[in-house]
Amino acid sequence: MSDLSSLVTEQRNEHSMNLDQLSVEDCLKVINSEDQKVAEAVREALPAITEATVRISQKLKEGGRLFYVGAGTSGRLGYLDASECPPTFKTPPEMVQAIMAGGMAAFGKAKENAEDSESQGAADLKNEALTAKDTVIGIAASGRTPYVAGALKYAGKIGAYTVALSSNRKAEISAYAETAIEVVTGPEVLTGSTRMKAATGHKMVLNMISTAAMAQLGKVQENLMIDVHASNYKLMERAKRIIMDLTGTTYEQAAETLEQAHLKVKHSIVMIEAGISYEKADHYITLASGYAREAVRLAKQDKAG
């Protein structure tokens, strides 16, 4: 493993050398100024992010799973994104998962030494019965976390698609992945505290990958989440608004159709747009591989023919 001092994430930031002597306002201004550099760093990594997202989308279409693997803040970011996929896109819990060094116990209480074992990273993935259909994104700001390296090496041996997400150029974990995403956000305001810019950049990337991949799976129409899981009052109301926006129907009809469609927004849209029953909407959505626009087209085509 490389000397930590050579990593940009461990170097001192010249703009925050007097952090302890600044007023609260000036301290916050420095942090805000540095944070503005994160989006640019992500933009520079767009080619690699695009490559990864295209591959991941195809893997998910073929029934594969997506695993985020990390330690500490990196692991927590994986959990954050994975946990939001079921309510946002109505994905089954197994489709997007997170594996963290030290397990869920480390989510709320740091277990800093859990990241030091390569063999544990491999073992935790092995416990998930990883296959060549799956994808593993290893997340490590330093790019050298042993737990993540072990997971990526194991995934590569299995034939799964591997992605390394780091915050240093020529990161060591990049060598263990088919696609390397290096979001170089520079030295942190608080030296070595990669929960700051590095983590912000990585959260942006994970949000981008999951959102764009789900759009490719037909879970987005225009900029609306047509597979939202209407599991509470707020989400029920959002579901009705989505149906109204896409079909031009009334609130009352949107509510009635949503009930008939067993709270499935996509089915409601197809039912209204094509003028068909829930059962027929389900049939055409299956034929269209989950794409609502295509399901409506097929239904109308059959009606006309």
Side-chain angles (χ1 to χ4, degrees):
M1 289 292 181
S2 64
D3 178 16
L4 273 175
S5 64
S6 68
L7 305 178
V8 69
T9 49
E10 294 294 326
Q11 293 171 7
R12 298 186 69 184
N13 189 317
E14 63 181 33
H15 302 295
S16 62
M17 297 292 282
N18 61 339
L19 198 65
D20 64 317
Q21 300 174 45
L22 297 177
S23 68
V24 170
E25 182 180 7
D26 287 341
C27 178
L28 297 177
K29 284 180 178 178
V30 171
I31 294 172
N32 178 250
S33 178
E34 288 297 306
D35 283 346
Q36 292 180 48
K37 300 174 182 178
V38 176
E40 178 60 25
V42 172
R43 188 192 66 79
E44 291 178 3
L46 274 176
I49 299 169
T50 301
E51 176 184 309
T53 306
V54 170
R55 290 283 302 276
I56 290 166
S57 300
Q58 190 58 43
K59 287 280 191 179
L60 292 175
K61 285 180 182 179
E62 294 168 356
R65 299 168 296 170
L66 171 59
F67 290 92
Y68 296 136
V69 180
T73 298
S74 296
R76 294 182 187 100
L77 291 174
Y79 268 112
L80 286 174
D81 200 65
S83 66
E84 287 296 332
C85 286
T88 307
F89 303 110
K90 211 168 189 176
T91 57
E94 64 272 12
M95 179 181 280
V96 183
Q97 301 182 50
I99 298 176
M100 183 174 178
M104 272 304 294
F107 187 89
K109 186 174 181 180
K111 295 179 67 174
E112 299 297 349
N113 63 337
E115 68 178 55
D116 292 335
S117 173
E118 273 201 23
S119 61
Q120 192 59 53
D124 286 351
L125 267 185
K126 189 174 183 179
N127 287 340
E128 299 296 333
L130 193 75
T131 75
K133 293 171 62 176
D134 299 324
T135 296
V136 174
I137 300 181
I139 313 165
S142 68
R144 61 183 290 283
T145 304
Y147 181 87
V148 175
L152 286 172
K153 289 177 182 179
Y154 175 76
K157 290 177 183 178
I158 297 298
Y161 175 51
T162 50
V163 179
L165 175 57
S166 70
S167 299
N168 284 281
R169 297 195 191 283
K170 298 182 180 178
E172 292 185 25
I173 62 170
S174 294
Y176 311 136
E178 294 178 61
T179 301
I181 302 173
E182 297 174 348
V183 183
V184 185
T185 47
E188 297 288 1
V189 169
L190 184 64
T191 306
S193 185
T194 51
R195 66 190 175 84
M196 300 183 78
K197 289 193 298 181
T200 299
H202 287 179
K203 185 178 190 302
M204 291 171 71
V205 171
L206 298 182
N207 287 165
M208 292 166 75
I209 290 173
S210 58
T211 301
M214 294 303 164
Q216 292 299 305
L217 268 62
K219 294 181 173 295
V220 175
Q221 187 165 321
E222 295 181 2
N223 61 349
L224 299 171
M225 50 181 86
I226 60 170
D227 267 337
V228 64
H229 184 37
S231 57
N232 60 30
Y233 176 78
K234 180 188 76 174
L235 296 177
M236 283 279 288
E237 292 303 300
R238 179 181 294 164
K240 294 168 191 174
R241 289 200 306 274
I242 291 171
I243 296 166
M244 292 166 65
D245 285 348
L246 291 178
T247 66
T249 193
T250 64
Y251 178 89
E252 291 73 22
Q253 187 182 6
E256 181 181 347
T257 307
L258 187 61
E259 288 294 331
Q260 294 172 354
H262 310 289
L263 305 185
K264 297 178 181 178
V265 176
K266 184 184 294 181
H267 286 67
S268 301
I269 293 166
V270 175
M271 289 167 67
I272 293 170
E273 288 285 272
I276 56 179
S277 67
Y278 168 79
E279 290 73 21
K280 287 187 176 180
D282 188 63
H283 167 71
Y284 285 113
I285 288 170
T286 300
L287 280 182
S289 300
Y291 295 90
R293 293 180 196 270
E294 178 64 6
V296 171
R297 188 191 71 80
L298 289 173
K300 288 183 174 180
Q301 178 180 282
D302 284 356
K303 271 189 170 182

